[in-house]
Amino acid sequence: MEETRVNPDKILETIKRADEKQQAGHLKIFFGYAAGVGKTYTMLKAAQSAKNRGVDVVAGYIEPHARPETMELMRDLEKLPVKEVSHKNITLREFDLDQALTRKPQLILVDELAHTNADGCRHEKRYKDVEELLKAGIDVYTTVNVQHIESLNDMVAAITGVAVQERIPDSVFDEADQVELVDIEPEDLINRLNAGKIYRDEQAQRALINFFSIENLTSLREIALRRCADRMNKLSERVRNITNAEYYNDEHILVCISSSPSNKKIIRTAARMASAFKGTLTALFVETPDFAGINEADKKRLQENIRLATQLGAKIETVYGDDIALQIADFARLSGVSKVVMGRYNAKKKVLFGRQSLTDKLIEAAPSLEIYVIPDKDVPYYKPRAAGKGTGKFILPDTLKSIVILAAATLLGFAFYDMGFSEANIIMIYILGVVFTSMVTSGKGYSLVSSVVSVLIFNFFFTNPRYTFNAYDNGYPVTFLVMLMTAFLTSTLVVRLKQYAREAVRTAYRTKILLETNQMLQSNKPRREIVEIISTQLTKLLKRDVIFYLAAEEKLGSPVVFRAEEGGDKNDYLSDNEKAVAAWTFKNNKHAGATTDTLSSAKCLYLAVRINSKVYGVVGIAIDGKPLDTFENNITLSILGECAMALENEQAMREKAEADLLAKNEKLRANLLRAISHDLRTPLTSISGNAGILMTNSDTICEEKKLTLYRAIYDDSMWLINLVENLLSVTRLEDGSMHLNSSAQLMDEVIDEALQHINRKSVEHKLVVHQPDDFLMAKMDARLIIQVIINMVDNAIKYTPKGSEIVITTARDGNHIVVSIADDGGGIPNEAKKRIFDMFYTVGTGIADSHRSLGLGLALCKSIINAHGGEISVFDNKPKGAVFRFTLPAEEVTLHE
């Protein structure tokens, strides 16, 4: 039997989701099939039980009820004050989200989950308020009816005849932690209605006639029961996937999006199919050349349909072309679509010149594709209307161009006529003129009018009898008709080619922007440069102003505005209100602002730059009343995804560098401890031993011997002092805690000060200082440069025999001061020169004690000189010995007389 292995990625994902669930609040929905089944009453009873268990319960918002038993249950509950909002001279009472977040109880009651908030509230929908409460860790009890579930809206409307406008996405219902079905028999519900427990008498009578019939209520009850069962099936499938009991399913449902009023029903049907088949859902919009000319109402309806598809879990795609059926068929073939869902409109087919329907064309283009046609008897034939403003009007420049072309064609026609060319050649001139007109003008109307006028002019000037609109030849009407049709068809093709060319250019430009962005972010770049690249590319792509908020240390930084055009006041996008929307987007990791349901009064659309739950920043895009189209939105999200990945990589590189530095410091500490533990033992032992001899045998030891012991203690102590100074300086430089206090200093004074602190064994060597007559000043931290000179001179003393000459020379070389320390000792081997400035590297000689050198002195010198912006080097001295040289930035000498 084959062993089933659990997918580790799914285990990690499950653990992560469980952690997020544990931190977030829990949602319980009291679900009913109609008003009056007792949802609010049951919710209040559950709240009373929770309160009796010691839970902190607050009633956030409860719909006003006249039923005494319901009001009785609210008596002992703490109630939040409602938020009063003025709307059209009417004061509305709304749930106060900010007060709820400030109060932050363990459990809050929010009635009517599908409610639409009044203007002025943070979110357009109440379920968004509930989502924010859950994210803040507050448990929520709420109520909803079956007709408010988005995917069931059409089914309920078909049963009851009432289309409900307040709806919630199916995902809110499916992802609730608990759903309790509040059920009652339809007969009992009608009895309650007749008893006045649901509506007042007049309302009750209207409800009995229009909604509360046994047939309607029974159907609604069945839908509610089935929806709860569907939710349980989804929960079971989720558990099955976690335990690796996977199934293979290649169902891919494609729904066609348009601006049709009935398209919402098509989208909901496709979403239910995708859920039933357990497949993926894609919503496709085919943008034709005529799309730019449709009116604002159709554009707004299209945006609403796209938003609905997104809420129902569809992936939005856009393609371009004139043949809608062919575009759908090609997309379905390339994307592996198994089923297509589209609508059928009640268009009356013409007897003559009737065109095929879109469905028939699609069946011909993709005969192997399963096509589901959803009829809608309530919606008449629909055709997108052209925008009324400016459509069909002729503009002067294009009119003049058309007149000039017709005049030129006529003049050329006269020339051809005089030269004896046939009428067919003159007709070709006019057809060519119509083609030119369609190329240089902006609308179809010019080519159409030019086609008609060309026929009239040809008839007037070039047919017998000339200079009249009469035509004696029986063949002329046919000639005119053929000429008109040829000119019109040719011009129509040219106009379409222009439209295709414009669309191709636009698509190529957007694709180029996306590829450029990807290439720019390939190499590792600092955060600010990434922000500048992304913002610049977005302004080029969208032709809109962009505002970028970069996150740092779990906080949103200051905004940076990138203008699409010069001029304008950038403070328009930096108001407290705009910053608050950006902060909300960062905190909640969701879109907000213009064109969304959250804080829609903002001037910009705010998008999170994120990877999963990690938000690296927020981008604001100025809308100015023109929402992003689907293609722009998709490319923008792709660019922001690239930005998030680049910022994540930059953060990873930064953390890696910090980890490398930490590891380097740890290695340094370990090496120091190893060296110190071995090399400190000898001088400490010598000091303690000599001190012990002096203490116990002070009376018996001669003065010369005592002096020798004192010198030994002094030498060992000075060695330890220099070692500690070097250790402290090295560790400060390595961890970055040492700061340079640079100032202009005279080199001769610094060298004189250093020579006063060098090893006392310098008396055994000849120290020579060569300084020019001019004053040499360098910019330095004098304390550190003194230590450099001490270390280098002590190093020369240590590694050269007694009597050696050590020469210190200073000179100016351009903008630098050069300091050289030369000796005439044994020199340094070539292989050692490469590592002489490495930490813990020592050169073994017979002159110096190897145990008295940790290899820190020259390494410290290099670090200090590099910190000053100088260079340090070593080379051979002539005829023998070594020269250590370092440079410092020169400073000008200012004399005050």
Side-chain angles (χ1 to χ4, degrees), residues 44 141 233 368 404 427 451 456 548 615 772:
L44 290 171
Y141 283 179
N233 288 336
S368 60
V404 169
I427 289 172
S451 301
L456 295 176
F548 204 114
V615 181

Side-chain angles (χ1 to χ4, degrees), residues 25 146 281 315 331 427 477 505 734 783 796:
V146 67
L281 178 62
K315 181 181 179 183
F331 181 87
I427 289 172
V505 169
E734 289 294 328
R783 177 176 53 87

Side-chain angles (χ1 to χ4, degrees), residues 202-222:
E202 293 182 2
Q203 290 178 304
Q205 291 302 318
R206 287 199 302 268
L208 280 171
I209 297 171
N210 299 324
F211 191 91
F212 279 76
S213 66
I214 291 293
E215 294 79 7
N216 286 354
L217 295 178
T218 303
S219 299
L220 293 175
R221 186 186 187 197
E222 180 184 352

Side-chain angles (χ1 to χ4, degrees), residues 259-277:
S259 56
S260 167
S262 66
N263 194 234
K264 287 185 172 64
K265 177 181 179 181
I266 314 303
I267 295 170
R268 295 187 188 106
T269 303
R272 290 197 298 270
M273 285 181 62
S275 177
F277 286 112

Side-chain angles (χ1 to χ4, degrees), residues 33-38 183-201 203-221:
Y33 66 86
V37 296
D183 192 29
I184 187 175
E185 291 293 334
E187 292 84 357
D188 294 338
L189 182 58
I190 291 176
N191 291 335
R192 295 189 65 192
L193 180 67
N194 290 327
K197 294 183 177 181
I198 301 176
Y199 300 123
R200 292 185 175 88
D201 291 341
Q203 290 178 304
Q205 291 302 318
R206 287 199 302 268
L208 280 171
I209 297 171
N210 299 324
F211 191 91
F212 279 76
S213 66
I214 291 293
E215 294 79 7
N216 286 354
L217 295 178
T218 303
S219 299
L220 293 175
R221 186 186 187 197

